[in-house]
Amino acid sequence: MSRPIPADAAPSPPRLLRIQEVAAETGLTPRSIRYYEEVGLLAPAARSEGAYRLYDTEDLERLRFIRGLRDDAGFSLAEIRQLLEDEQARARIRVRFRATHDQAERREILVEAIARVDRQVETLRTKIDRLEAMILDARARRDHLAGHLEEVEAGREPTPHEHGRPRR
Amino acid sequence: MSRPIPADAAPSPPRLLRIQEVAAETGLTPRSIRYYEEVGLLAPAARSEGAYRLYDTEDLERLRFIRGLRDDAGFSLAEIRQLLEDEQARARIRVRFRATHDQAERREILVEAIARVDRQVETLRTKIDRLEAMILDARARRDHLAGHLEEVEAGREPTPHEHGRPRR
DNA sequence: TCTAACCTTTACGTCAACGGTAAGGTTTGG
DNA sequence: CCAAACCTTACCGTTGACGTAAAGGTTAGA
């Protein structure tokens, strides 16, 4: 549109992908991608003349991010939306940042942006901590069993000791 | 049944709880608890004369474990069933263990049990690793912002440097 | 013994997160 | 310009994980 590319030697051809290509690229289904749009997780960068959805590389990253949160972290789409709103705010912030040259405002914008990222990290960290706790629990059971194993291997008789359940 | 308790001075009165008490205790709803039974996640330790579900402390632990997996880890009930089957195997193993006095068999049983716990831990660890990766990603963004902040606070002009996206 | 508070099963309702399909418009190579 | 391949919206179906209500049986205390 407003990009005077010399019709040659363009630094990076910003190819836009259609939904099926995006699906193949991200491992999602077209249906899911449309659904994510429906519930406000992302909008395609553009539409073709005939209203085809067209996605850019930023959209791809976003979709991969979504998939990671969904599959790897097991977040609900509602939780994902929260995290993505932080992402979006980050983008808006960048624009505001570039728009101003006021030192104080720039500082404030950055501080805000950092706070948002910190919130994302905290959300993830919370989940990790809970998982870690569960692992500790399991490890306690493991150690208990390992203790018995040592006894057995030493040829000793078992120690029933009221099968001390590890603390919850 | 085969427990000749002197009708007095019983070491620990194994009180059985009804479903609502269990719900209050575990933070689940009676409906969920029944549903978990329906899909085979646990069965009450006993039933009253009039078919009331009666739960013992082991059931409570199990339900708390389920809730942890559901809320904290975000596992589906299908995944939870997998993890619980390991738990169940652990219980059966304990019985087999107590039943035998053959040293070799005891050893094997313990080794098996430990392997199961290890599998549980590995499942959790995988999930954690993925979350950790996402945190690293976020932290990279944060550092990037923090760099800009330092620049601004030093009163320097911005460094646009093609906003280097961190690796995915 | 009676009743309030609990429980049972059964069944239908709901919400999230999609899957499938129909009816029709768009793109693109030949 | 035409057909195959792709896309659109719209709508209904499904599965998981419960909520809710109905119709009736059980328990515990006064």
Side-chain angles (χ1 to χ4, degrees):
Chain A
M1 266 303 174
S2 57
R3 272 274 217 71
I5 295 173
D8 192 41
S12 62
R15 263 216 64 214
L16 295 179
L17 302 181
R18 300 195 294 201
I19 198 165
Q20 207 166 76
E21 306 172 282
V22 173
E25 201 71 25
T26 59
L28 296 165
T29 66
R31 181 64 176 89
S32 292
I33 296 172
R34 290 198 199 95
Y35 180 67
Y36 294 159
E37 180 179 349
E38 194 182 324
V39 298
L41 292 191
L42 73 329
R47 289 277 189 152
S48 79
E49 192 69 15
Y52 280 25
R53 288 173 178 81
L54 299 174
Y55 300 86
D56 64 13
T57 55
E58 201 177 328
D59 293 333
L60 283 192
E61 275 198 54
R62 194 178 175 82
L63 283 169
R64 275 193 268 265
F65 186 49
I66 290 174
R67 203 199 161 192
L69 291 171
R70 189 194 67 174
D71 294 351
D72 300 342
F75 284 115
S76 72
L77 293 193
E79 291 171 303
I80 292 175
R81 176 160 47 233
Q82 179 56 52
L83 288 167
L84 283 179
E85 270 164 23
D86 281 358
E87 282 279 299
Q88 261 178 344
R90 208 162 62 80
R92 282 196 302 273
I93 277 168
R94 195 183 309 237
V95 171
R96 273 176 56 207
F97 183 81
R98 295 203 190 288
T100 186
H101 277 256
D102 175 11
Q103 221 56 317
E105 193 178 348
R106 294 202 134 186
R107 211 196 76 89
E108 205 211 329
I109 288 170
L110 284 173
V111 167
E112 218 177 294
I114 290 174
R116 282 175 191 283
V117 174
D118 283 347
R119 268 186 48 198
Q120 282 189 20
V121 169
E122 204 181 328
T123 300
L124 295 169
R125 180 61 65 194
T126 296
K127 204 145 200 166
I128 288 179
D129 286 348
R130 291 172 178 176
L131 290 171
E132 293 279 12
M134 299 197 347
I135 284 188
L136 282 183
D137 213 66
R139 181 130 49 219
R141 292 201 301 271
R142 201 211 120 98
D143 290 349
H144 181 77
L145 290 171
H148 276 305
L149 182 57
E150 250 186 76
E151 284 176 27
V152 168
E153 297 200 320
R156 268 174 281 142
E157 272 302 292
T159 312
H161 64 48
E162 209 54 40
H163 75 295
R165 294 311 279 273
R167 285 264 27 267
R168 287 254 161 215
Chain B
M1 267 299 176
S2 58
R3 272 272 218 75
I5 294 173
D8 192 44
S12 61
R15 262 217 64 217
L16 295 179
L17 302 181
R18 301 196 295 200
I19 198 165
Q20 207 166 78
E21 307 172 281
V22 174
E25 200 71 26
T26 59
L28 295 165
T29 66
R31 179 62 174 98
S32 292
I33 297 172
R34 289 197 199 95
Y35 180 66
Y36 295 159
E37 180 180 349
E38 194 180 324
V39 297
L41 292 191
L42 73 328
R47 289 277 188 150
S48 79
E49 192 70 15
Y52 280 25
R53 288 172 180 81
L54 298 174
Y55 300 87
D56 64 13
T57 55
E58 201 178 328
D59 294 333
L60 283 194
E61 276 197 53
R62 195 179 176 82
L63 283 169
R64 275 193 268 265
F65 186 49
I66 289 174
R67 203 197 160 195
L69 292 171
R70 190 195 67 174
D71 294 351
D72 301 340
F75 285 114
S76 72
L77 293 194
E79 292 171 303
I80 293 175
R81 175 159 47 232
Q82 179 56 52
L83 288 167
L84 283 178
E85 269 164 23
D86 281 358
E87 282 280 297
Q88 260 179 343
R90 210 162 61 82
R92 282 196 301 275
I93 277 168
R94 195 181 310 234
V95 171
R96 274 175 56 207
F97 183 81
R98 295 203 190 290
T100 186
H101 279 256
D102 175 11
Q103 223 55 318
E105 194 179 346
R106 294 202 133 185
R107 210 196 78 89
E108 203 212 329
I109 288 169
L110 283 174
V111 167
E112 220 177 292
I114 290 174
R116 282 174 192 285
V117 174
D118 283 347
R119 269 186 46 199
Q120 284 190 19
V121 169
E122 203 182 329
T123 300
L124 296 170
R125 180 61 65 193
T126 297
K127 206 149 198 165
I128 287 180
D129 286 348
R130 290 173 178 173
L131 290 172
E132 294 280 13
M134 298 195 348
I135 284 187
L136 282 183
D137 212 65
R139 181 127 50 216
R141 293 200 302 269
R142 201 210 119 99
D143 290 348
H144 181 76
L145 290 171
H148 274 306
L149 182 57
E150 251 185 75
E151 285 176 27
V152 168
E153 297 201 318
R156 268 173 283 142
E157 272 302 291
T159 312
H161 63 47
E162 210 52 39
H163 75 298
R165 294 308 279 276
R167 286 268 27 268
R168 286 253 162 215

